């Protein structure tokens, strides 16, 4: 069956097209409608639709959302003129012609919910249909807030249902629920914040009249923007959080659904095509000429085939899952997570990450340049940044996936990987004064399952700078681990997300912040925050980076300072009860960012100079600053973004091979650091 359902609106705009780099999968049959910017389509009842066709343009599929309207719901309950999915309207159900009881309102909600968010009634892992919103997700579908089973729904006097900004909210008169999620504790914004908000709004990218993201940089003086005028999944995350914390969720919802449409859904044998489930690194809104002097907007994704070095966007799907959970936690719109297309998108990403391979480690094996550091920097293998994001995405997926016959095996695989990955990172990536001294005394060439030096690390690999640099009460997770190789560089993003996701133990997380505080001048300096420490210099720089002229010592990825890391540092500090560290770093940034035109990164050991090739008016610099300010002002909102310790993971061991008689891996070390 090729019918695609959707929610209609009296003010909906025609759908626009999305360019795909792969062929149009057979199950998807879409209608191509012209994108008109002249006006709306008129009333819902006059809307005409068709299905069962798939049009192509230069071998790319025009994926356009079409389907059926819900006139019968409107007519059944006498709700003429009710426009679903348009923001800015305050419509109370009891104000329509004819009083509607709570029971009737719930029936309406259930009818809409059955059309838009049912997950497994029509789909399975191998054959599924995607449910879309008319207009290419330009319009938000009706969202139904979850209602507890023990709540008095019928005939109750202590609750009322109203539609506010496209969301049906259940308002209770009981105490404790009226202002718990209020983000806006009003205060007068500084001039720097006002400027930042204006610049962020100016960077918003529109698609068929709706906001879908923010461009990476919006420097009016830049004559060669390269791909900085595109919307990056990774770069948009701080912008999304800034909008969410301000109460503006439409752009984030649009972004999540549009990027989901761009996800690769088709298995291929062509090595130049994206694998099934891969999310693009970025996308661009392009204008395509049509016949009769007409034009149409399309979304053109980039899976790395246009990127410098052709790097694969491994982290894009992980960031997308993390942002999806954050959207639900902050807005309360959990119905978005339950949609069939969103559930399927999560499954595809997880299946891609959990695919069996030759690797023997629970960490994710990736190539160089597959994360925020997207150039050759010697991070191929199992870089910490990917592992921390992977762990966070696993926890998010386990929380959001609907458990049923089609997903129970995937959920079981997620639980197993979470357990193994947490133990692996905590045990083998961690270094402090005690662990370094242990490595210093390692014996090599050990052969047995009981070997202490499991990865055959040679003590001479310990760099001299580390012996004098590591403080007594601090530590961190190293950048990479492979056979006979430990990358002792400190990569800030991976360590911060290890705190946020509780990948590290509570004691380890505290020690990471102790290290940053003790080495403030090295890691913060004049501008937070060093992306890695120390920089590769001399022969190491020439061999490892290939003499990269952009990644020279203490510049860009090679020891540069990135202000966008500020919001993640703020989140980690709030979680660990040390907001004063974040406040100190934010104050440093606020003094300079505006004067320096919001640069992408800073150079030199202490971050005194604007980066030599740094783009100005970098959007995630602006958004990272704003998000940090709002998190510090409303620290209770930070709990929606980080994870607490999951003690059940410590009781699960997937390392036992009972048939061969091998012993279980010991979890004593991990437990001893937690149960303090």
């Amino acid at each position: 069956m090729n019918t695609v359902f959707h929610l209609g609106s009296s003010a909906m705009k025609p759908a626009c097209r999305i360019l795909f780099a792969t062929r149009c999968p057979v199950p998807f049959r879409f209608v191509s409608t012209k994108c008109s910017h002249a006006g709306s389509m008129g009333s819902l009842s006059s809307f005409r639709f068709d299905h069962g066709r798939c049009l192509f343009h230069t071998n790319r599929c025009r994926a356009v959302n079409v389907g059926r309207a819900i006139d019968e719901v409107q007519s059944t309950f006498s709700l003429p003129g009710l426009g679903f999915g348009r923001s800015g309207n305050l419509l109370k159900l009891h104000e329509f012609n004819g009083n509607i009881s709570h029971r009737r309102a719930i029936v309406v909600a259930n009818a809409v919910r059955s059309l838009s968010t049912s997950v497994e009634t029509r789909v399975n892992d191998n054959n599924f249909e995607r449910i879309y919103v008319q207009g290419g997700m330009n319009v938000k579908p009706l969202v139904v807030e979850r209602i507890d089973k023990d709540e008095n729904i019928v005939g109750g006097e202590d609750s009322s249902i109203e539609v506010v900004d496209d969301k049906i909210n259940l308002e209770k008169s009981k105490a404790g629920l009226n202002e718990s999620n209020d983000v806006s504790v009003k205060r007068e914004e500084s001039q720097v914040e006002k400027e930042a908000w204006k610049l962020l709004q100016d960077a918003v990218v529109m698609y068929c009249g709706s906001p879908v993201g923010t461009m990476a940089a919006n420097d009016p003086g830049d004559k060669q923007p390269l791909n900085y005028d595109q919307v990056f999944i990774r770069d948009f995350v701080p912008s999304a959080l800034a909008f969410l914390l301000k109460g503006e969720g439409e752009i984030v919802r649009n972004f999540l659904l549009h990027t989901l449409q761009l996800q690769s859904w088709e298995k291929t044998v062509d090595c130049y095509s994206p694998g099934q489930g891969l999310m693009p690194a970025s996308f661009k809104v392009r204008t395509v000429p049509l016949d009769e002097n007409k034009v149409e907007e399309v979304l053109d994704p980039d899976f790395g085939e246009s990127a410098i070095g052709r790097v694969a966007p491994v982290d894009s799907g992980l960031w997308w899952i993390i942002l999806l959970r954050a959207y639900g936690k902050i807005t309360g719109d959990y119905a978005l997570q339950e949609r069939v297309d969103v559930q399927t998108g999560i499954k595809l990403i997880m299946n891609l990450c959990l695919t069996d391979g030759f690797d023997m480690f629970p960490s994710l094996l990736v190539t160089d340049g597959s994360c925020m550091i997207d150039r050759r920097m010697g991070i191929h293998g199992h870089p910490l940044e990917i592992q921390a994001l992977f762990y966070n995405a696993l926890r998010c997926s386990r929380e959001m996936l609907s458990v049923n016959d089609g997903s129970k095996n995937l959920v079981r695989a997620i639980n197993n990987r979470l357990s193994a990955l947490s133990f692996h990172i905590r045990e083998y990536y961690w270094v402090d004064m005690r662990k370094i001294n242990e490595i210093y005394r390692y014996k090599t060439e050990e052969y047995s399952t009981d070997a202490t030096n499991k990865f055959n690390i040679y003590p001479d690999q310990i760099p001299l700078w580390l012996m004098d640099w590591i403080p007594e009460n601090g530590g961190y997770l190293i950048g990479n681990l492979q056979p006979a190789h430990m990358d002792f560089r400190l990569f800030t993003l991976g360590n911060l997300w290890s705190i946020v996701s509780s990948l590290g133990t509570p004691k380890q997380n505290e020690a990471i912040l102790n290290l940053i505080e003790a080495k403030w001048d090295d890691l913060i300096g004049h501008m937070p925050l060093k992306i890695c420490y120390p920089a590769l210099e001399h022969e190491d720089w020439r061999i490892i980076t290939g003499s990269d002229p952009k990644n020279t010592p203490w510049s860009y990825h090679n020891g540069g300072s990135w202000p966008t890391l500020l919001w993640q540092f703020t989140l980690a500090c709030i979680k660990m009860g040390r907001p004063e560290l974040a406040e100190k770093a934010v104050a440093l940034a606020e003094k300079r960012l505006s004067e320096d035109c919001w640069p992408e990164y800073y150079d030199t050991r202490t971050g005194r100079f604007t980066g030599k090739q740094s783009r100005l008016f970098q959007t995630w610099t602006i958004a990272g600053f704003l998000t940090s300010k709002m998190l510090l002002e409303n620290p209770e909102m930070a709990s929606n973004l980080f994870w607490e310790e999951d003690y059940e993971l410590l009781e699960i061991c997937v390392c036992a091979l009972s048939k061969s008689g091998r012993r279980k891996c010991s979890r004593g070390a991990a437990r001893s650091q937690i149960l303090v």
Side-chain angles (χ1 to χ4, degrees), residues 362-626:
S363 46
L364 198 59
L365 179 64
V366 299
T367 58
D368 217 342
S370 56
C371 52
M372 180 179 175
I373 297 179
D374 55 4
R375 297 169 77 94
R376 178 178 168 186
M377 272 285 290
I379 61 171
H380 55 277
H382 306 84
L384 177 66
E385 177 181 333
I386 288 293
Q387 313 315 319
L389 294 175
F390 181 37
Y391 185 79
N392 201 326
L394 287 169
R395 297 194 68 174
C396 292
S397 300
R398 184 177 64 169
E399 177 182 287
M400 294 187 296
L401 279 173
S402 299
V403 181
N404 47 54
D405 291 340
S407 63
K408 60 183 181 181
N409 289 335
L410 178 60
V411 173
R412 184 184 300 111
I414 289 174
N415 281 324
N416 290 340
R417 182 61 71 92
L418 278 168
S419 174
L421 182 61
S422 64
F423 176 77
H424 183 79
I425 298 298
R426 293 175 175 187
E427 185 71 9
Y428 302 121
Y429 275 64
W430 179 254
V431 292
D432 54 12
M433 196 66 180
R434 182 196 63 80
K435 186 62 177 289
I436 293 173
N437 194 51
E438 178 183 322
I439 298 172
Y440 184 74
R441 293 170 53 82
Y442 266 171
K443 296 179 180 179
T444 59
E445 316 303 329
E446 292 184 292
Y447 176 80
S448 73
T449 57
D450 299 326
T452 301
N453 187 2
K454 292 181 173 60
F455 298 94
N456 202 34
I457 304 300
Y458 302 111
D460 289 343
Q461 289 184 22
I462 303 175
L464 295 177
W465 65 265
L466 181 59
M467 295 181 177
D468 298 327
W469 188 75
I470 192 78
E472 291 288 342
N473 64 337
Y476 65 98
L477 296 166
I478 63 172
N480 213 331
L481 175 66
Q482 299 185 80
H485 172 66
M486 293 183 75
D487 187 347
F488 286 97
R489 286 176 292 174
L490 186 153
F491 289 87
T492 306
L493 183 60
N495 276 273
L496 293 179
W497 274 100
S498 296
I499 297 175
V500 171
S501 63
S502 289
L503 177 56
T505 68
K507 288 181 65 175
Q508 289 172 348
N509 295 338
E510 187 66 33
I512 292 171
L513 291 184
N514 289 341
L515 173 70
I516 294 176
E517 184 178 25
K519 298 299 177 181
W520 188 270
D521 292 339
D522 291 332
L523 302 176
I524 305 292
H526 291 87
M527 177 57 63
L529 213 69
K530 278 277 176 280
I531 191 171
C532 71
Y533 184 89
L536 297 170
E537 298 182 285
H538 312 303
E539 199 67 11
D540 288 339
W541 167 77
R542 186 184 69 81
I543 295 173
I544 295 177
T545 73
S547 302
D548 188 345
K550 195 169 184 178
N551 273 336
T552 52
W554 306 108
S555 177
Y556 200 45
H557 299 141
N558 191 17
S561 298
W562 292 71
T564 187
L565 295 174
L566 194 60
W567 72 270
Q568 292 153 107
F569 179 58
T570 300
L571 189 57
C573 290
I574 292 175
K575 179 190 175 184
M576 301 307 297
R578 303 179 68 177
E580 68 281 356
L581 290 179
E583 291 171 353
K584 183 179 177 182
V586 170
L588 278 175
E590 192 166 7
K591 292 178 181 178
R592 294 192 55 188
L593 286 178
S594 178
E595 295 181 0
D596 297 337
C597 298
W598 307 91
E600 180 183 14
Y601 64 94
Y602 286 78
D603 284 351
T604 72
R605 283 179 176 269
T606 58
R608 293 191 63 187
F609 291 90
T610 301
K612 57 186 177 184
Q613 296 189 40
S614 176
R615 290 306 200 277
L616 302 180
F617 301 102
Q618 185 82 12
T619 304
W620 68 352
T621 296
I622 299 166
F625 167 75
L626 290 173

Side-chain angles (χ1 to χ4, degrees), residues 203-266:
V204 171
V205 174
M206 304 296 291
Y207 173 59
C208 289
S210 297
V212 293
T214 53
M215 63 182 70
N218 190 25
D219 183 2
D222 191 356
K223 304 301 180 183
Q224 292 182 325
L226 299 178
N227 58 353
Y228 281 80
D229 60 349
Q230 298 187 21
V231 180
F232 282 80
I233 290 183
R234 180 195 309 120
D235 294 38
F236 180 68
V237 172
S239 297
L241 294 178
F243 286 121
L244 289 174
L245 292 172
K246 199 178 182 182
E248 300 177 8
E250 180 187 7
I251 184 175
V252 183
R253 181 186 179 88
N254 292 341
F255 171 85
L256 288 167
L257 292 174
H258 277 298
T259 49
L260 180 63
Q261 280 191 314
L262 299 176
Q263 184 183 32
S264 175
W265 290 74
E266 185 181 37

Side-chain angles (χ1 to χ4, degrees), residues 8 58 148 172 212 261 333 552 584 642 659:
T58 61
D148 295 335
K172 298 182 180 179
V212 293
Q261 280 191 314
D333 181 8
T552 52
K584 183 179 177 182
F642 59 68
K659 292 183 179 179

